[in-house]
Amino acid sequence: MDLFEAIEKRASVRSLRPVDVPDADLERILDAGRRAPSGRNIQPFEFIVVKDPNTIRKLAKAQSCVGDVSVLIAVVADPTKSTYWLEDLSAATENMLLAITALGYATVWVEGTLLRAEEEHKKVLGVPENLRLMVVLPIGKAAEPVAQAPKRPLPEVVHWERYGNMQR
Ligand SMILES: Cc1cc2nc3c(=O)[nH]c(=O)nc-3n(C[C@H](O)[C@H](O)[C@H](O)COP(=O)(O)O)c2cc1C
């Protein structure tokens, strides 16, 4: 799948079913994450790959669909390393979302529900105190066909030359 198709097909899939994800695919996804741009190229993010069903079950307390897969990637970052840690981590996450989609899997950016009990989830994964655990990406297949949520049309979000000029 080419990049533009992956951008168009990427959707938040919350109805997931488990699927075998070969390590070669996992490495391509993780490689896409590590290649993300980061402020001053500090790369303050790291990834935790989780396959252990017990650990996955514990993380599913954040959001139940996390428990419906056989592998997930957790994204952590060190806020003391860069002012841009959140942007950097987000860029890495988006790269991985697109790679997951391009390889034919489905996922969802789990952050809001995870952060409600971040400390508890950090303990589950043994994440050091000074790091933030921001995102979990469960990787599975879509249990049913899913489309990307509706987006604002281009003419509504693009300004030409000056803010407010919506005509090309
Ligand atoms: C910062 C951020 C946090 C998010 N947190 C959650 C979450 O905790 N749980 C969830 O199901 N989706 C989460 N999402 C996914 C959004 O709900 C989703 O991207 C949005 O509804 C648009 O749908 P789409 O991804 O299909 O375009 C998050 C997305 C972002 C960018």
Side-chain angles (χ1 to χ4, degrees):
M1 192 185 296
D2 91 345
L3 174 66
F4 291 95
E5 193 181 347
I7 289 171
E8 285 161 20
K9 287 213 168 127
R10 184 214 56 78
S12 293
V13 182
R14 299 177 183 89
S15 189
L16 291 160
R17 60 177 176 81
V19 67
D20 178 47
V21 182
D23 280 349
D25 283 355
L26 260 183
E27 277 170 31
R28 288 188 82 187
I29 294 162
L30 295 160
D31 195 54
R34 90 176 165 93
R35 288 181 184 279
S38 63
R40 293 167 54 215
N41 199 28
I42 288 174
Q43 306 165 58
F45 42 73
E46 289 176 285
F47 314 124
I48 307 168
V49 178
V50 182
K51 294 183 183 180
D52 180 61
N54 279 326
T55 312
I56 289 177
R57 203 171 308 123
K58 286 179 190 160
L59 294 171
K61 274 175 77 183
Q63 191 165 324
S64 62
C65 67
V66 170
D68 297 335
V69 297
S70 54
V71 61
L72 62 80
I73 297 172
V75 186
V76 300
D78 187 341
T80 64
K81 279 195 177 158
S82 172
T83 335
Y84 306 113
W85 67 278
L86 196 48
E87 291 88 337
D88 299 344
L89 171 155
S90 300
T93 299
E94 177 67 7
N95 267 14
M96 290 195 284
L97 287 182
L98 292 175
I100 291 166
T101 306
L103 289 170
Y105 302 105
T107 189
V108 56
W109 179 324
V110 174
E111 177 173 331
T113 54
L114 182 78
L115 294 182
R116 277 183 221 143
E118 184 185 355
E119 289 312 311
E120 187 185 329
H121 295 115
K122 274 170 69 172
K123 284 197 189 86
V124 171
L125 294 175
V127 176
E129 194 56 40
N130 56 314
L131 300 189
R132 295 292 307 272
L133 166 63
M134 296 298 291
V135 179
V136 160
L137 300 177
I139 307 174
K141 288 275 180 181
E144 55 214 41
V146 184
Q148 188 176 81
K151 302 300 170 192
R152 296 165 67 196
L154 262 191
E156 197 180 306
V157 295
V158 179
H159 305 251
W160 296 93
E161 305 295 348
R162 284 177 67 76
Y163 190 88
N165 190 4
M166 311 310 272
Q167 304 298 328
R168 196 185 290 242

